[in-house]
């Protein structure tokens, strides 16, 4: 299943959610149409599988092996998000794009909320701000949205905001 999810994630990340045909998705997954439908019986399930794969990859890339010192951990998280944006998705958050493509989908909305909640909780804990997970999430979301326009300058600004947040003891 992970091979299928990885291929689907690549296809949706590079071509969006409306453009790829089922045949394109089958090719990206590297399996037969029958196998693709066995594990993901609908396009909606294909999107969810792709996003679940992305969720796990993002958490691993951003939060694994962080420095123990909270300020360094927060800088590392923000730098890693900048690298993620540079290498994985220079035009914004794939989770938000999926919900925008299918705004009535409750499973997509629930996955978006779970992803953002886990990012917020992990960032706040690593930064020593465990009682205030909204502020780090706002900084991370701002970075994600500003990256396409400002690149590395967005990472630097996010770090300055994070340092100010920590100095306020939030």
């Amino acid at each position: 299943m992970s091979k299928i999810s990885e291929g689907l994630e690549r296809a949706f990340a590079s071509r969006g959610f409306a453009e790829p045909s089922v045949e394109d998705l089958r090719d990206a997954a590297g399996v037969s149409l029958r196998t693709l439908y066995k594990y993901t019986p609908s396009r909606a399930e294909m999107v969810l599988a792709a996003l679940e794969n992305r969720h796990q990859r993002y958490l691993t890339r951003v939060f694994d092996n962080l420095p123990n010192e909270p300020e360094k951990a927060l800088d590392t998280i923000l730098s890693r998000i900048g690298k993620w944006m540079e290498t994985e998705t220079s035009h914004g958050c794939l989770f938000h794009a999926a919900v925008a493509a299918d705004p009535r989908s409750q499973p997509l909305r629930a996955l978006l909320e779970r992803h953002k909640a886990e990012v917020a909780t992990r960032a706040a804990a690593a930064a020593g701000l465990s009682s205030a997970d909204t502020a780090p999430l706002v900084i991370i979301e701002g970075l994600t949205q500003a990256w396409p326009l400002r690149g590395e300058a967005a990472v630097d600004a996010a770090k300055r905001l994070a340092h100010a947040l920590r100095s306020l003891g939030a």
Side-chain angles (χ1 to χ4, degrees):
M1 180 64 183
S2 66
K3 174 186 169 187
I4 294 171
S5 298
E6 290 168 10
L8 293 171
E9 179 195 344
R10 281 191 307 275
F12 289 127
S14 67
R15 300 183 61 198
F17 293 97
E19 183 184 328
S21 67
V22 173
E23 290 76 19
D24 294 332
L25 296 172
R26 174 205 61 210
D27 293 346
V31 296
S32 69
L33 196 56
R34 181 180 178 148
T35 300
L36 179 62
Y37 276 119
K38 176 182 176 184
Y39 291 101
T40 54
S42 68
R43 187 178 191 92
E45 291 293 325
M46 292 175 200
V47 171
L48 289 170
L51 290 175
E52 192 62 53
N53 189 74
R54 190 160 191 97
H55 171 70
Q56 294 306 320
R57 281 191 334 102
Y58 183 87
L59 294 178
T60 298
R61 177 96 58 92
V62 173
F63 296 106
D64 278 9
N65 302 312
L66 289 172
N68 291 329
E69 186 180 322
E71 194 156 317
K72 286 182 181 177
L74 193 52
D75 276 354
T76 300
I77 290 166
L78 296 171
S79 291
R80 288 177 180 178
I81 292 170
K83 289 295 178 201
W84 175 271
M85 295 301 295
E86 181 181 338
T87 60
E88 298 285 337
T89 181
S90 62
H91 45 276
C93 175
L94 196 62
F95 293 87
H96 283 293
V99 170
D102 189 1
R104 292 191 177 116
S105 170
Q106 288 306 317
L108 276 179
R109 190 166 296 283
L111 181 55
L112 168 68
E113 290 175 10
R114 180 170 56 89
H115 172 70
K116 298 302 181 180
E118 192 160 349
V119 167
T121 300
R122 286 186 181 206
L129 301 167
S130 54
S131 64
D133 63 355
T134 300
L137 181 63
V138 169
I139 292 170
I140 290 168
E141 288 295 294
L143 170 55
T144 302
Q145 293 304 311
W147 174 263
L149 302 171
R150 300 287 189 248
E152 200 58 39
V155 175
D156 294 338
K159 286 179 181 180
R160 286 192 304 278
L161 288 170
H163 288 280
L165 175 67
R166 284 201 39 81
S167 70
L168 293 172

